[in-house]
Structure formats: structure tokens, C-alpha cells
Amino acid sequence: MLQNYFKIAWRNLTAQRSYTLLNILGLSVGMAGGLLLFLFIRYHLSTDRHHTQFDRIFRVVTDMHLDDGSVEYYPEAPLPMAQTLRTQYPQIEQAAFLILNRELLVSFQKPGQPVPTRFQEHTGTGLAEPELFDILDYQWLRGNSKTALREPNSAVISESWARKYFGEADPIGQTLNLNHTVNIKITGLLADPPRTTDVDVHLFISMATLKEMDPEFDLTSWWQLNSNYRLFCTLKDPELVTQMEAAMPALSKKQFGKDARFIQFHFQPLQNVHFDVRRIATGATAIRPSLLWALGLVGVFMVLTACINFINLATAQALRRSKEVGIRKTLGSTRAQLVRQFLLETALIVLTASGMALLIAGLSLPVFNQWVNISLSLRPDGPTLGFITLLMGVVILLAGGYPAAVLSRFSPWAALKGKLTTRSGSGYTVRQSLLIMQFVICQALIIGSLVVATQVRYIQNADVGFRKDNVVVVNLPTSQKASRELLKNELLQYPEIKSVSASHRPPSALIMNGGSFKLGDKAEWEPFPIRERLADADYLKTYGLQLVAGRNLSESDTIREYLINEALMRKMNIRDPQQVLGRKMQYYLSPVALPIVGVVKDFHLRSLRDEIAPCFIASYFTMFERVGVRISGPNPVQTVQRIRKVWEKIYPDAVFEYEFLDDQLAQFYETENLIFRLVNTFAGIAILICGLGLYGLVSLVVVQRTKEIGVRKVLGASVASIVALLSKDFLKLVVIGLVIASPIAGYAMNQWLQEFAYKISIEWWMFALAGGLAVLVALATVSYQSIRAALVNPVKSLRTE
């Protein structure tokens, strides 16, 4: 019997090749899109879940509660807090401190090599307490996790970095130099951490080495916070987190006294760390859980759209198979047997579509990985195979279940007498409803794509308050900052170099430094923080910042005067810039109040998600880490090579690295660009699937109405009237779909735009354009088949009946 089912299924599928091909193509594209989104969502949901104590691991974070009622969220905690948790709280099983991504110039002297090999590391390094390996799981290949980081000047390295530094030589016992000041010895070798981790460290240096690297570092200060600090701990029972939260106010009171009301510590479960965009790690792409759920819905909608195609095509061609059903029932076939037959045909189509979906997903994965900036792979592991199996089963039931039920319940008498029509009964209404659902999904995605594209374009073209083009940003070696004036003078010898400025950071940066301040002779500090931009006197000229009142800074190695921005004036309820000139301000880095000498026009300190914060500009030589070089001329590559030549002449023992400022700023919007690419791609896929289904459905409708078209032509109907006749029903469904999709998409995109302090407004033309595109696709698809049918000789059309 089963062999007979397969034989009949194969004959039916090969007899209707175009129908079969359209179904396979639609299902394969939809399933491939769903599979890619599954891999992306699974990657983010599995972040750091490889740790065996995952449910008991917490990160200690800090909330700053300001007097103006606002709260600032930080991922860090004070360094001495780790020891306090280990020794004073019995609920804590283990606690460890980690300082991430300290910029290091790593040098290795190979035997017989006159010049050491140097590597400038910006990420992947960490100063760690040895207890960290009792909390987070790493695969140890060599060394002892208990002792490898106990001593100063010891380090543990990953396999890939060991090959990078030492080649195939044994890394254990090798010596690396850090920043030309400290030598460290490799005492352990780790397997590379999994890709799904936020603690992506390849070189762990013992925390005991920190004092030698930075003699002025205060290891006992509770006031010292940095965005690269991390404090992890394990609780003996995750339920004890409530007790620890309750104990934190007393700890803050003990350490900060009357200022404890500003500082609150919290224990954040490790499972929430990856999605906490308020405390997102520097330079990381922010992934909100809502984005994953939204992408999951997009994947469901794509598969659902492909299934709708299948259902519509299967039910529309039911009339062709009605006599087959009538004969089978007359000869004794039961309804269950007919359902199995039709489900088997669906299963063969889905199986073929699944193979094509795997091929499409595999070929698309390199491009997709480049878009999402992670490394996904299509491995035949348990979750992936389970998802594919589940997807196939769901598609078979969704796509095949309803058509099988419709076909199997045909009355044999009505089927053999030809009394069935495709425009009667509930089947026609169901097809209309499913088509409307398709159009809703497609048009909602088109509207979303238009809103995201418009917001991204607005971001790219927005006035950030300074000139971001033609500025090359070069890092200053940490141990040789005193040579900056020599570097500036040498660079300015070239006519294509217009200005050079040394600073801590460019005007817009991923990291926001700042602190407490007060104006005039006030006894109390202001209830909100001020952001800092520490730079020399050429900062305004190099970056194109505009002075609206007063004068520029004078050259100085320390803070002697301030420029402030307009946002600070507004915060202090000062309208006239002249009123603030000459007033004194004290910042926590300076022991005395110093004069405000100028006001600069507002500029964005970070991305357009954030409002422009109160800020000052002042000179502070010891904090300078970068040099901005404004260039001109037709050949920027040649100019960069000249900068390199001068830089390597002055800093022969360092590694030259540069980046254009506009490329740096583009990192602010990695998430938005990711959403833009994903929404555009999957909107295009949904339109393709919808178009394929509409094409097949119109083809069947035209075949079924061949006699009607012939009669109308004989009676004098024009080609245009026949096209209008066949198109109007479909165009009505498009309009209904737009009416339903518009409020849904409008609400969803308005919620997304709330993440931005500076954003576009959702306008009527976005909905009109989405509807116009859908009408255009539908009209083009329907018109092609309609015109072909209308041009056929009516005599031939009537003979086919």
C-alpha cells in the first residue's frame, strides 16, 4: 500500500510540474530564511550557557542615582568588593574581579631575532584574580587553574594567541613584554573560548601584576570605577540573591557614607548580561530580547507565508483532482486513506524543499555572518537537527493538513458529476483570508523596512555638531606621550595635513567619561554629572567644533580653564552665553575652581540614541591617548602613509594603528545597520514568496476561467477589461491587507523609534509607498497571466472546455 502511495504521489507531482516547482521554491526560500534566523537567535540565547554553574553565576553592577531623579547604569563594580564578598558574606561561594580589554603593546623576542615582534592588543586581554576560574569554565590544556595566576607577572594564554605569538613553540615558560615595562611568564594554556561568550579573553594576566603595570593604581579604592571592570560571583543557591540585594545598602553606607544614596549595587544573573543594553560593553552590538522575538516572528511569518502559498495552490487546483477523489471513493477508498495520500505528496514536496533550504542557507551563511558580525555555522548538531525536523513536521501539517481535509471530503457524486466549483463554499473564503494574511505580513515588513531605512539615513546625515570627514585618529603610545608636540610639528610640515590635536577621545566616542562638578563657590556638588573631553588647544580647529561665545583654550598641561557646551547652560537655566563667561567651575580632577572661558555649540558625545549631555573641554596632558589629524587632498592613502612614516620615526618601538573618524562613529549604529539589513532581506524574501504564490494562484484561476474569458471575448470584451476583471479581486485583498498592516507596523516601529533621542516621524507616505509596492507586485503578477489569457484566440479557449 505504501509503495502504491509513493507511486501515485510521484505521478501527480510530475504531472503538475509548474505547481510542484512553485511550491518547492516558495517553501525552500521560506524555510531557509527561518533556518538562518534560528541560527542567529540560538547563538544569542546560548551566550555563556556553557558554564556549568550558569544558574548560580551573577555579575555585580552599579546604579548611580542622581539628585535630578535620573539613573545611570554601569556594568562595573569597585575592585576591593571582590575580597569583601568572598570573606564577609556566607551566601557567596566565590567572587573574582576581572579588568577587561586593557590596551597593551605586547612584545615577544624570538631567539636570534634582532627586533622583537610587537602586537597592539585592544581587546581580548584581561587582568584576573585566580578565583575567576572557579566561576567561569575554561578548558585547561596545560597548567593548574588554582595556581597559574597566583603570582605576579604570570599569565594564561589561549591556543590561538599562543600560535600568534610563539608559532608552534611550547608556550609554557615563554616571556612576553607589556608596554615596554613589565615582563610576564606564561604559566597556563587554554583552549579557545567558545564563540558564544561575552568574556572573550585570550590572555589572562594575574591581578597581582597590576601594581607593577600601574604603580599609582589604588587597589583599595571603592570610588574608582571603570567601564572595563567586571565582578563575577557564584551564590551557593540562586535564591539567596534576594538576601544579597537586601545587604547591599548597608555595604554602600559603610563604604560611601552620606554619598551612599547615590550608589547602589545589584546582582545581575548571568543569563541577563548579554541582553542588558543599558550596560552594554564598549564597542559591542546591543541585542535586545525584543529584537530576537521580533526576528523570531519574522521567521515564523516567512514559513507561514510559504505554507499559505501551498494551501492556496492546493485548494485552488482541487477541482482538477475532484474526479480522482470521486473515483477513489467509489472504489472504496476511505477518507483516512485519501488524507494519507495527500499528506504523502506534501511530505515529498517538503522533503525536497528542505534539501534546497539547507543548500540556500549554507550558501548564504558567509554573507549572513558578515552582516550580523558573528560566526554562525550550519552543523548537524542536536538542536539544529531537531529544529529542521520540527520545521518539516510543522510545514507538512500546516501546508498539507487543510488541503488534504478539503480534497478528502468531496462528495463522490458531486465530484463525478462536475458539480464542484472553486468559487463556492468555505474554501474560496479561506483562500481569500490566507491571501490577506500574506499581504498583511508583506506590507508590514515593507513598512518596517521603510521606517528603518529612513531612520538610518537620518542618522548618517544628521548634523553631529562637528566635522567627522577627513580626520585620521591615531593612538598615542602610553609610555611616550611626551613626544606628542614633536609628532604634531613633524606632521604639520606636510601641506595636506591641516591641523593636529592630541586628546583623550574624539568629540563622539563609545566611552563616556565624566564626574561630579560644581559652579562658583557652591558648597554642594551639582545633582547631575558632567561629561569630559580632555584635549589641547587645537581640538576645536581639528574637529570643526564651533565656538559661540568667549575664546578658545590656551595651551596647558593641566586643567586651568574650561570650555562648556550649550547643554550645560540649559541644564543650569542660563540662556545668554555671555553670562557664564568668567564664572568658575570645579571638576573632581582639579582641586580648585577654575574659570569658564568659552561656550561651544552642542555636539553629540555619543550616538543619536542619547540626548546631548552637559560637557566641558579642558586640557589634561596625562590623559591624552589619541591624536586627530585633519587631512585634505585627493590621495588620503598617501597621506596616511606619510603619517605612518613620521609616527614610526618618533615611536619606533610601538605599533602604528589608525582609523578614520567617520568609520569609528559608524560603530555606534551597528545594531541599526543590522536591523536594516535583516528587515530589508526578509521583507524581500516575503515579497518573493508572496509573488510566487500569487503567480501560481492566478495561473490556476486563469485555467479555470478559460471558457468564461473566451465567451467574454466573443461578446466583444477588450483585453483591458479582462485584465481588470481578473485583477480587481486580488487588488481588493491588497488594500485590505494594507489597512490591517498599517496600524500594526506603525505601532511596532514607533516603539522601536523610542530608543532614539533624535528620530524621524512616521509619515503617511511610508504606508502609501508600502501599499503602492504591494499593488505593483500584485498587478504585475496578475497582469502577466491575465494578458496571456486575454490574447488567446477565443475559439481555442472555448474548445478547451
Side-chain angles (χ1 to χ4, degrees):
M1 180 63 74
L2 187 61
Q3 183 180 1
N4 184 55
Y5 283 159
F6 272 106
K7 186 182 297 184
I8 295 171
W10 178 255
R11 286 174 180 170
N12 285 324
L13 294 177
T14 53
Q16 302 293 332
R17 289 186 178 87
S18 59
Y19 156 79
T20 304
L21 184 60
L22 284 174
N23 274 324
I24 290 175
L25 187 57
L27 286 173
S28 62
V29 173
M31 294 173 73
L35 181 57
L36 289 175
L37 287 177
F38 163 76
L39 294 174
F40 179 79
I41 294 169
R42 176 193 171 195
Y43 175 92
H44 286 285
L45 291 179
S46 62
T47 298
D48 282 319
R49 288 183 178 268
H50 62 280
H51 300 296
T52 54
Q53 304 177 98
F54 175 77
D55 62 326
R56 296 194 293 120
I57 299 175
F58 292 79
R59 180 178 74 171
V60 182
V61 297
T62 304
D63 291 355
M64 301 292 289
H65 291 257
L66 308 178
D67 280 342
D68 62 358
S70 62
V71 181
E72 296 186 352
Y73 303 93
Y74 298 99
E76 64 257 34
L79 193 152
M81 190 175 180
Q83 179 66 13
T84 301
L85 293 180
R86 283 195 295 264
T87 58
Q88 298 182 19
Y89 294 89
Q91 300 93 333
I92 301 293
E93 182 176 272
Q94 192 56 275
F97 206 83
L98 173 67
I99 301 178
L100 282 171
N101 300 333
R102 193 178 178 96
E103 294 212 3
L104 296 174
L105 177 64
V106 181
S107 305
F108 173 63
Q109 184 79 51
K110 294 182 180 179
Q113 184 180 17
V115 179
T117 304
R118 299 184 179 92
F119 304 86
Q120 185 68 53
E121 305 294 3
H122 302 286
T123 60
T125 65
L127 285 143
E129 293 183 313
E131 291 82 3
L132 184 71
F133 297 115
D134 295 331
I135 300 172
L136 304 180
D137 291 341
Y138 288 87
Q139 183 183 351
W140 284 78
L141 304 178
R142 303 276 297 279
N144 188 317
S145 63
K146 302 293 184 184
T147 60
L149 294 183
R150 287 287 173 195
E151 300 299 325
N153 304 94
S154 58
V156 175
I157 196 169
S158 71
E159 270 190 298
S160 61
W161 279 36
R163 285 192 296 271
K164 179 173 74 171
Y165 292 149
F166 313 119
E168 299 303 319
D170 185 0
I172 302 299
Q174 300 278 8
T175 299
L176 295 173
N177 179 269
L178 308 179
N179 295 336
H180 300 299
T181 57
V182 177
N183 288 327
I184 57 171
K185 183 179 179 181
I186 304 299
T187 57
L189 179 65
L190 304 174
D192 286 347
R195 298 188 303 272
T196 53
T197 181
D198 286 333
V199 190
D200 190 20
V201 178
H202 291 262
L203 181 64
F204 289 97
I205 304 163
S206 64
M207 189 65 74
T209 314
L210 179 59
K211 199 63 179 176
E212 187 174 343
M213 295 173 64
D214 189 353
E216 298 182 1
F217 193 95
D218 187 357
L219 298 174
T220 63
S221 173
W222 282 74
W223 288 97
Q224 188 162 314
L225 293 173
N226 187 287
S227 59
N228 289 335
Y229 290 0
R230 298 291 184 273
L231 173 52
F232 294 101
C233 64
T234 49
L235 299 186
K236 293 178 180 177
D237 187 326
E239 299 297 327
L240 295 173
V241 68
T242 306
Q243 296 181 22
M244 291 305 301
E245 289 281 348
M248 289 302 99
L251 178 62
S252 294
K253 182 69 174 176
K254 178 181 178 181
Q255 298 299 333
F256 303 111
K258 63 183 180 66
D259 293 320
R261 61 193 176 94
F262 298 113
I263 302 169
Q264 294 185 10
F265 299 121
H266 296 284
F267 286 75
Q268 183 179 44
L270 187 61
Q271 64 181 352
N272 297 339
V273 168
H274 184 67
F275 303 106
D276 189 356
V277 296
R278 299 176 305 176
R279 312 176 205 268
I280 191 67
T282 301
T285 300
I287 298 294
R288 295 178 182 271
S290 57
L291 173 60
L292 292 186
W293 289 116
L295 291 175
L297 281 176
V298 170
V300 170
F301 288 153
M302 279 195 301
V303 175
L304 184 60
T305 303
C307 291
I308 289 172
N309 277 356
F310 192 104
I311 294 170
N312 281 337
L313 290 174
T315 54
Q317 72 153 3
L319 192 61
R320 287 183 173 181
R321 303 191 65 177
S322 60
K323 290 187 178 181
E324 173 194 344
V325 173
I327 293 171
R328 285 177 175 276
K329 283 196 169 185
T330 302
L331 294 177
S333 291
T334 64
R335 186 176 181 185
Q337 290 174 323
L338 291 171
V339 168
R340 284 196 293 270
Q341 174 66 55
F342 296 133
L343 283 178
L344 180 60
E345 292 179 17
T346 303
L348 290 176
I349 290 176
V350 172
L351 185 62
T352 307
S354 299
M356 286 188 63
L358 288 171
L359 179 61
I360 294 170
L363 294 175
S364 305
L365 206 52
V367 176
F368 189 74
N369 282 339
Q370 189 176 2
W371 283 0
V372 300
N373 198 29
I374 55 179
S375 181
L376 302 175
S377 59
L378 192 57
R379 301 190 308 271
D381 54 16
T384 303
L385 291 176
F387 173 79
I388 294 171
T389 304
L390 178 64
L391 182 62
M392 290 173 60
V394 169
V395 171
I396 289 171
L397 292 177
L398 279 178
Y402 177 73
V406 169
L407 288 166
S408 63
R409 71 166 179 252
F410 281 168
S411 165
W413 177 86
L416 293 173
K417 285 287 187 178
K419 300 295 185 180
L420 298 173
T421 66
T422 58
R423 296 178 63 87
S424 61
S426 61
Y428 182 66
T429 305
V430 170
R431 281 202 304 278
Q432 285 184 313
S433 302
L434 292 176
L435 272 175
I436 290 172
M437 188 183 298
Q438 270 194 325
F439 290 133
V440 168
I441 293 170
C442 289
Q443 291 179 93
L445 288 173
I446 294 172
I447 293 168
S449 178
L450 290 171
V451 173
V452 173
T454 307
Q455 176 66 14
V456 169
R457 193 179 305 112
Y458 170 75
I459 288 170
Q460 293 171 342
N461 299 325
D463 180 11
V464 293
F466 59 91
R467 293 174 56 197
K468 59 185 179 180
D469 58 312
N470 297 324
V471 176
V472 181
V473 180
V474 182
N475 289 341
L476 274 175
T478 55
S479 60
Q480 304 179 54
K481 294 179 181 178
S483 305
R484 79 184 194 283
E485 286 301 321
L486 176 59
L487 176 66
K488 289 176 65 174
N489 293 333
E490 290 280 341
L491 290 174
L492 289 172
Q493 301 300 314
Y494 294 103
E496 62 268 36
I497 294 178
K498 300 304 180 183
S499 62
V500 181
S501 172
S503 64
H504 185 219
R505 304 196 188 284
S508 287
L510 288 166
I511 297 176
M512 289 276 278
N513 298 93
S516 302
F517 80 106
K518 57 184 177 181
L519 282 177
D521 299 325
K522 290 183 179 180
E524 295 292 328
W525 297 88
E526 296 295 335
F528 59 91
I530 191 171
R531 302 305 177 185
E532 66 182 43
R533 286 297 179 261
L534 305 174
D536 63 15
D538 291 316
Y539 195 67
L540 271 62
K541 178 182 178 183
T542 301
Y543 292 102
L545 295 166
Q546 300 179 36
L547 195 66
V548 297
R551 63 171 176 85
N552 191 15
L553 295 172
S554 300
E555 286 289 353
S556 173
D557 287 343
T558 59
I559 298 178
R560 294 187 179 179
E561 54 194 13
Y562 298 101
L563 300 176
I564 66 169
N565 67 350
E566 295 170 311
L568 178 58
M569 286 178 47
R570 289 193 299 272
K571 194 77 173 178
M572 303 300 298
N573 294 318
I574 300 173
R575 294 185 178 182
D576 185 1
Q578 299 297 330
Q579 294 179 2
V580 80
L581 298 179
R583 293 185 64 177
K584 290 192 175 182
M585 183 177 85
Q586 184 178 351
Y587 185 56
Y588 83 98
L589 286 177
S590 176
V592 296
L594 297 166
I596 297 170
V597 299
V599 178
V600 296
K601 184 179 178 181
D602 277 342
F603 59 93
H604 286 274
L605 303 171
R606 292 190 71 179
S607 74
L608 271 68
R609 294 189 206 94
D610 307 310
E611 291 187 5
I612 297 176
C615 172
F616 75 84
I617 303 172
S619 182
Y620 197 40
F621 160 70
T622 58
M623 296 291 288
F624 292 168
E625 295 180 352
R626 291 165 181 81
V627 171
V629 184
R630 175 161 293 283
I631 65 174
S632 64
N635 195 342
V637 175
Q638 184 181 41
T639 305
V640 169
Q641 291 305 314
R642 289 178 174 173
I643 297 172
R644 177 193 291 272
K645 183 179 179 181
V646 171
W647 196 91
E648 291 179 343
K649 172 185 173 183
I650 298 173
Y651 307 115
D653 295 330
V655 177
F656 175 77
E657 290 184 322
Y658 75 94
E659 192 172 14
F660 281 95
L661 180 61
D662 48 5
D663 292 336
Q664 280 189 358
L665 300 187
Q667 297 175 25
F668 290 158
Y669 307 109
E670 287 182 353
T671 301
E672 284 68 40
N673 288 324
L674 169 62
I675 295 172
F676 175 64
R677 289 190 292 262
L678 291 178
V679 172
N680 273 6
T681 300
F682 294 116
I685 291 174
I687 292 170
L688 173 63
I689 296 171
C690 192
L692 288 172
L694 195 58
Y695 177 85
L697 191 58
V698 173
S699 300
L700 291 172
V701 169
V702 167
V703 170
Q704 291 159 3
R705 300 180 71 176
T706 300
K707 185 176 181 179
E708 177 189 348
I709 294 171
V711 170
R712 287 180 179 275
K713 286 200 70 178
V714 169
L715 295 176
S718 65
V719 173
S721 64
I722 292 174
V723 171
L725 173 71
L726 295 174
S727 302
K728 64 180 182 180
D729 289 341
F730 293 104
L731 296 181
K732 286 178 186 176
L733 301 182
V734 173
V735 174
I736 295 172
L738 178 63
V739 171
I740 298 173
S742 295
I744 297 172
Y747 174 79
M749 298 316 299
N750 186 62
Q751 291 298 110
W752 176 70
L753 287 172
Q754 297 312 307
E755 298 176 12
F756 297 87
Y758 304 91
K759 53 185 176 289
I760 62 167
S761 298
I762 299 177
E763 300 182 16
W764 65 268
W765 64 264
M766 298 176 183
F767 303 101
L769 183 56
L773 287 173
V775 167
L776 188 63
V777 171
L779 197 58
T781 306
V782 174
S783 298
Y784 174 73
Q785 291 287 12
S786 302
I787 292 171
R788 283 185 61 190
L791 293 175
V792 173
N793 189 323
V795 175
K796 185 177 179 181
S797 299
L798 293 172
R799 280 179 179 172
T800 61
E801 297 288 329

